[in-house]
Amino acid sequence: MTTLESDKEKLCCLVYCIGILTISAAIWNICKLAGRYFNKMTTNEEVVPKQSQAADDLTKRLRHYLVNGRNQSEICGKVVLAMEQVNIVPLLVGSGIEKGKLRNILHVLARRMRCLRLKMADIRRLHDLCQRMGLSELTKVRVCIVLADDKGDSAAGGSQLELLGSLTPGVQILSVLCCIDGHFPDLKKVRIVHLYSTVTQGTLEELFRNCPLLQHFKMKAEGRSPKIMDMRNIGRCSFLEGLLLPLLLKSPLAVCQLSNLKQLTLQSKDQWQKEEWLLVVQEIIKAKRFELDRICFDGAYVGAPLNLSVLLLARCTALTEVRLSHCKLVGDSKLPPPLPFSCHSLRIRYCTLAKLSLLLASDCMLQHMDLFNCQSVKTANLLSEALATRKTQTCMSPLVIKLLQSPELEIEYNKWSPQQQLAAKPWLEIEVLKEDHIPSWEDQGLGLISMRFGQAIKSFPTNLADYQNQLDNADLLKEMDSVCGF
């Protein structure tokens, strides 16, 4: 073998070894990436036990610190923060902590703890312990979270809550995750109350009476059908700004009379019966037609086609935005227009459409329309109908339509020639979005109707054509924005 052949053989071996190492490294990197990927792919069932295990571990560490730590009157700030994340009653009651040390711990918590979470059945135990240790109140607590008991909701929830109210008079945020069937505490400083389970009518009346500074109230029974609640005395909480209530209400007009109300959300996850839910919604919209500036409507539980005209939105002079989801939309030209003159944004998601032209019939102010994950109930050219309707209106600017995952509409638009698309631009500007441009829509939960209220419009142009003679489009848009409070 010559020297040249020997060098070639060595070079081949070197290249072969480098190739093997490169492939091995690539395989190793792929394995690491796959491992990270599969580590992230945990189901909810896997996450919950991990969270529970983490809470148990934290409780054990806190118990060990409290029992075996130095007997001093100050507790580490991190320990106080950690105790705000768990039910502290099992840590303190029957823990074997020496009495003097336990008294010091409680007095430190009274001065420093801002969040208290405990189960309903533990409220009395904590109250009695504080009394024995010469502590009447946890003065710094501003947030209380009452958890459901392991064996179900407490039958004496009301009396327990009264004790909690006397123990934490400075609480400003109260969240209760279990049933309440008794008295509601006198909480003069509370601003936010969230109830995630059933409550009796009597308890609800006491809540309205005992929380005069309440600003945000949420009543949401998870996993069960709530009783139909009467709101006749909600006006006692005159500072209320935000409400989340069951869809079916008695005395909904009492809610409408709240002068500071900015957000009202109604929700039900049961099948909606038209004669029930529609009367409630219509009554509210009628009463707030001059202040309603946005409505989000999810029809997942309507169970029947929806004609938007029945909501009486055409009477809402301040309404600027409408969001619809999970609706089978139909139209009837004999009914009043579905949208008011003032509406400039219409967002439709996961809906079935009959005609776009009916949605545009009376609204020449409409500037933006989003059609995401929408279907057509027929093969008619919906975009062509919308273009024809738009051409008959005196419009300030073209209507911008954004399409995403709406195949029939995208196919129709793609059939338009470049010349047709260009010719339509003075009336319609159509944009087909990509997957990564999906906007996030808040207030679009299943079975939810959300209304936002603003300032009533004091005046409005009676004749758009005459008004446009005085102002150009830019000035008109600016004035309308100022009138609508944008």
Side-chain angles (χ1 to χ4, degrees):
M1 180 181 297
T2 65
T3 303
L4 182 60
E5 290 175 339
S6 176
D7 291 338
K8 286 182 178 180
E9 184 175 331
K10 291 179 180 179
L11 181 60
C12 290
C13 290
L14 179 62
V15 171
Y16 178 79
C17 292
I18 292 174
I20 292 295
L21 290 173
T22 302
I23 294 173
S24 300
I27 293 174
W28 173 248
N29 288 330
I30 292 172
C31 291
K32 287 197 298 183
L33 291 173
R36 293 173 185 171
Y37 176 77
F38 286 112
N39 283 337
K40 291 181 179 179
M41 290 178 59
T42 56
T43 63
N44 290 335
E45 289 77 9
E46 293 172 329
V47 171
V48 172
K50 287 182 178 179
Q51 292 175 341
S52 177
Q53 183 64 39
D56 291 342
D57 291 343
L58 176 60
T59 301
K60 290 178 181 178
R61 291 197 298 272
L62 286 172
R63 182 187 298 276
H64 178 78
Y65 178 89
L66 295 174
V67 173
N68 302 309
R70 289 180 298 174
N71 187 6
Q72 55 185 13
S73 61
E74 288 295 329
I75 305 176
C76 173
K78 292 183 178 180
V79 175
V80 175
L81 291 176
M83 294 180 74
E84 293 178 350
Q85 307 303 315
V86 299
N87 180 5
I88 68 168
V89 178
L91 295 173
L92 304 176
V93 179
S95 61
I97 302 177
E98 185 267 326
K99 185 175 179 180
K101 185 174 183 179
L102 183 57
R103 180 182 290 106
N104 289 337
I105 291 172
L106 280 172
H107 282 266
V108 170
L109 294 179
R111 296 195 304 270
R112 301 176 64 176
M113 175 176 276
R114 298 183 60 84
C115 177
L116 173 67
R117 67 181 70 216
L118 70 175
K119 294 179 180 179
M120 183 69 82
D122 287 334
I123 294 176
R124 184 176 295 277
R125 298 171 65 197
L126 179 61
H127 179 270
D128 293 345
L129 176 63
C130 290
Q131 294 297 313
R132 292 198 305 270
M133 296 296 160
L135 185 66
S136 60
E137 298 176 355
L138 299 173
T139 55
K140 292 297 183 180
V141 171
R142 297 293 179 264
V143 180
C144 281
I145 302 173
V146 182
L147 310 171
D149 298 328
D150 295 334
K151 297 181 180 180
D153 295 334
S154 172
S159 60
Q160 299 273 19
L161 280 181
E162 284 189 297
L163 292 178
L164 182 63
S166 65
L167 189 61
T168 58
V171 65
Q172 296 180 6
I173 301 174
L174 174 65
S175 181
V176 183
L177 285 74
C178 51
C179 293
I180 312 174
D181 58 359
H183 297 295
F184 197 85
D186 192 3
L187 301 175
K188 298 300 184 184
K189 297 182 179 180
V190 73
R191 301 293 195 276
I192 300 173
V193 174
H194 291 175
L195 306 181
Y196 289 94
S197 196
T198 57
V199 58
T200 64
Q201 184 67 43
T203 303
L204 186 63
E205 298 297 334
E206 287 198 356
L207 187 153
F208 295 152
R209 183 170 61 250
N210 295 342
C211 304
L213 298 183
L214 188 62
Q215 296 177 357
H216 297 273
F217 177 53
K218 178 186 293 186
M219 186 167 59
K220 184 177 180 181
E222 298 285 1
R224 69 187 73 194
S225 300
K227 298 178 181 178
I228 299 178
M229 309 303 294
D230 195 331
M231 297 289 119
R232 62 183 180 274
N233 291 322
I234 197 171
R236 292 176 174 176
C237 301
S238 58
F239 294 99
L240 273 169
E241 297 179 2
L243 285 172
L244 189 153
L245 301 172
L247 174 60
L248 301 182
L249 297 174
K250 291 181 182 178
S251 308
L253 284 181
V255 174
C256 301
Q257 292 169 1
L258 294 167
S259 58
N260 292 305
L261 188 64
K262 296 181 176 63
Q263 186 83 23
L264 171 63
T265 301
L266 306 173
Q267 186 171 32
S268 174
K269 294 186 178 180
D270 295 321
Q271 198 70 19
W272 297 4
Q273 302 299 323
K274 183 175 181 179
E275 61 275 9
E276 297 176 346
W277 72 265
L278 185 56
L279 292 176
V280 173
V281 174
Q282 283 182 335
E283 195 168 357
I284 293 173
I285 290 177
K286 284 180 184 178
K288 302 291 286 186
R289 62 188 179 275
F290 301 123
E291 293 87 32
L292 178 65
D293 71 12
R294 189 182 76 177
I295 184 170
C296 302
F297 185 101
D298 183 86
Y301 302 105
V302 172
L306 174 69
N307 190 320
L308 199 58
S309 297
V310 301
L311 297 183
L312 308 179
L313 296 177
R315 305 179 183 182
C316 301
T317 57
L319 185 64
T320 60
E321 184 174 358
V322 176
R323 298 184 181 187
L324 305 171
S325 58
H326 299 101
C327 295
K328 184 178 181 181
L329 295 173
V330 295
D332 186 349
S333 58
K334 298 179 182 179
L335 292 176
L339 296 175
F341 176 84
S342 59
C343 183
H344 68 69
S345 179
L346 177 60
R347 298 184 173 185
I348 305 177
R349 184 175 66 169
Y350 299 112
C351 289
T352 303
L353 307 172
K355 284 188 176 183
L356 290 179
S357 55
L358 289 177
L359 295 175
L360 305 178
S362 66
D363 192 6
C364 56
M365 293 285 288
L366 195 65
Q367 301 170 28
H368 303 282
M369 178 184 289
D370 295 341
L371 300 172
F372 297 166
N373 302 88
C374 290
Q375 304 178 44
S376 172
V377 297
K378 57 180 183 178
T379 58
N381 296 324
L382 300 187
L383 295 178
S384 297
E385 289 180 356
L387 177 60
T389 301
R390 198 72 177 173
K391 285 182 176 180
T392 65
Q393 299 172 329
T394 305
C395 301
M396 299 188 308
S397 59
L399 171 62
V400 178
I401 298 180
K402 296 184 178 181
L403 303 177
L404 176 66
Q405 294 181 350
S406 302
E408 294 96 342
L409 296 170
E410 293 176 19
I411 290 173
E412 179 188 352
Y413 179 65
N414 289 330
K415 287 182 179 179
W416 290 6
S417 66
Q419 293 78 13
Q420 288 176 309
Q421 295 178 9
L422 183 62
K425 280 188 177 297
W427 298 277
L428 292 183
E429 289 188 5
I430 300 174
E431 180 182 357
V432 180
L433 300 182
K434 297 181 180 180
E435 292 284 344
D436 55 351
H437 287 83
I438 303 176
S440 60
W441 289 2
E442 70 279 5
D443 300 331
Q444 288 286 134
L446 292 178
L448 179 150
I449 303 174
S450 179
M451 305 179 198
R452 187 181 68 190
F453 307 109
Q455 295 294 322
I457 292 181
K458 300 288 172 65
S459 60
F460 208 71
T462 56
N463 189 312
L464 180 63
D466 294 340
Y467 201 64
Q468 280 183 297
N469 290 333
Q470 303 173 22
L471 299 170
D472 61 24
N473 288 347
D475 290 336
L476 181 59
L477 281 172
K478 184 178 180 180
E479 177 157 330
M480 288 303 301
D481 285 350
S482 64
V483 171
C484 296
F486 278 20

